[in-house]
Amino acid sequence: MELQSVIRRAIELGRPTGFITFDQLNELAPSATTESEDIEAIMEALSDEGINIVD
């Protein structure tokens, strides 16, 4: 999945509750195929939207 699609989907999942879980994030962007820069971009986008990442 393209990075922008992952970010968009993560925001859609997290917006109603204000958080997204690490498990949900791993389903969207498996760590084996995701670069550290991509992870930083996802985390920054979620933070910008006020969405926390929780266990």
Side-chain angles (χ1 to χ4, degrees):
M1 188 180 293
E2 181 184 317
L3 179 61
Q4 290 303 315
S5 296
V6 170
I7 291 172
R8 188 171 32 257
R9 185 70 183 123
I11 290 171
E12 288 172 2
L13 285 172
R15 189 171 279 147
T17 58
F19 69 88
I20 187 169
T21 66
F22 282 107
D23 288 341
Q24 289 172 311
L25 225 68
N26 285 333
E27 287 177 23
L28 291 174
S31 58
T33 60
T34 307
E35 299 292 325
S36 61
E37 296 85 18
D38 295 342
I39 294 169
E40 288 178 32
I42 294 167
M43 293 177 73
E44 184 176 334
L46 291 172
S47 177
D48 290 346
E49 292 290 326
I51 299 169
N52 296 314
I53 302 172
V54 299
D55 262 339

